[in-house]
Amino acid sequence: GDSVTQMEGPVTLSEEAFLTINCTYTATGYPSLFWYVQYPGEGLQLLLKATKADDKGSNKGFEATYRKETTSFHLEKGSVQVSDSAVYFCALTSSGGYQKVTFGTGTKLQVIP
Amino acid sequence: DTAVSQTPKYLVTQMGNDKSIKCEQNLGHDTMYWYKQDSKKFLKIMFSYNNKELIINETVPNRFSPKSPDKAHLNLHINSLELGDSAVYFCASSQGNAGQIYGYTFGSGTRLTVV
């Protein structure tokens, strides 16, 4: 079945540091890939997405590139802010019909001033 | 206006009770979902409805029963609550199977605590 593996957290960074959160996946066919962000006490928000190989999703300074050859979708940001502190979820949906979203286990990011 | 709203936000109840969580979306979406998030933040789908029809039904105890009176509403009723049901329950919606491409819109969650 489909699965998503994320790096274990928590990740603690100083403000303006470079962020990478690793994500790899296993899926049949050609899945769509997503990053969601969950701020404390809130629901998940879609951060960015990519629907085919070599697509780059970007939003709010975050980027991730769909790498089919390495089955990866790593999240990056060049300079994090305290306001980026949240839990980040990598997710996928397989192609075809009504498919559920499969989430990774989440990676907590804490940015300190 | 909140796109996907859940009520209540917090629910504390005793073991053995029956409780309901309500979800409404005003986005015009026709597909809605219930997810359970455990204490380690792991998210697991429970149910999905498309235009009031059940399309995804994961392995969930039959104490959990979803009900969709119309495509804008998806409620979750839980009978005989157990300690292990304590979690945050999220409702989400998408347009058809476009969630595969455009992602889901989530509610802010209902934190259920069973004591």
Side-chain angles (χ1 to χ4, degrees):
Chain A
D2 296 345
S3 67
V4 176
T5 302
Q6 287 182 238
M7 62 188 289
E8 290 270 343
V11 174
T12 302
L13 295 174
S14 297
E15 209 165 18
E16 299 183 3
F18 185 87
L19 168 71
T20 300
I21 300 178
N22 290 337
C23 171
T24 58
Y25 67 89
T26 303
T28 54
Y30 303 94
S32 296
L33 302 175
F34 305 88
W35 278 100
Y36 284 83
V37 58
Q38 184 179 26
Y39 298 102
E42 297 184 12
L44 280 74
Q45 301 174 26
L46 180 63
L47 180 60
L48 53 83
K49 61 179 172 65
T51 57
K52 61 183 188 297
D54 300 325
D55 267 2
K56 178 186 281 189
S58 61
N59 186 23
K60 299 180 181 179
F62 291 89
E63 292 184 341
T65 301
Y66 190 144
R67 302 283 188 203
K68 191 165 176 61
E69 64 276 12
T70 54
T71 62
S72 65
F73 193 54
H74 304 322
L75 182 69
E76 296 181 335
K77 186 175 185 183
S79 175
V80 293
Q81 306 300 313
V82 172
S83 58
D84 294 327
S85 298
V87 180
Y88 292 82
F89 292 88
C90 186
L92 69 82
T93 54
S94 288
S95 54
Y98 288 97
Q99 298 291 342
K100 62 187 180 185
V101 175
T102 299
F103 287 90
T105 51
T107 302
K108 183 174 182 178
L109 169 66
Q110 183 175 10
V111 181
I112 53 179
Chain B
D1 266 353
T2 303
V4 180
S5 59
Q6 296 179 228
T7 54
K9 191 171 177 63
Y10 300 97
L11 183 53
V12 180
T13 187
Q14 291 187 326
M15 280 174 53
N17 283 351
D18 302 338
K19 290 293 178 186
S20 292
I21 305 172
K22 296 186 176 183
C23 179
E24 176 182 4
Q25 54 92 6
N26 63 6
L27 298 167
H29 290 167
D30 57 7
T31 307
M32 297 182 71
Y33 311 82
W34 278 110
Y35 275 82
K36 179 181 180 181
Q37 186 177 49
D38 64 23
S39 58
K40 295 186 178 180
K41 299 289 189 183
F42 182 69
L43 277 155
K44 182 175 168 55
I45 191 166
M46 302 173 70
F47 304 103
S48 176
Y49 272 74
N50 173 260
N51 270 324
K52 303 192 295 178
E53 180 184 347
L54 182 65
I55 55 172
I56 294 175
N57 185 359
E58 292 293 290
T59 306
V60 175
N62 57 15
R63 298 182 294 104
F64 290 79
S65 54
K67 283 188 172 52
S68 182
D70 56 61
K71 73 175 190 177
H73 295 84
L74 180 61
N75 303 323
L76 183 65
H77 188 75
I78 315 170
N79 289 328
S80 303
L81 278 155
E82 300 177 358
L83 292 177
D85 297 332
S86 296
V88 181
Y89 292 84
F90 285 101
C91 179
S93 72
S94 68
Q95 182 55 34
N97 61 357
Q100 296 168 217
I101 298 174
Y102 299 110
Y104 294 173
T105 301
F106 280 84
S108 57
T110 296
R111 182 175 294 277
L112 172 64
T113 303
V114 182
V115 297

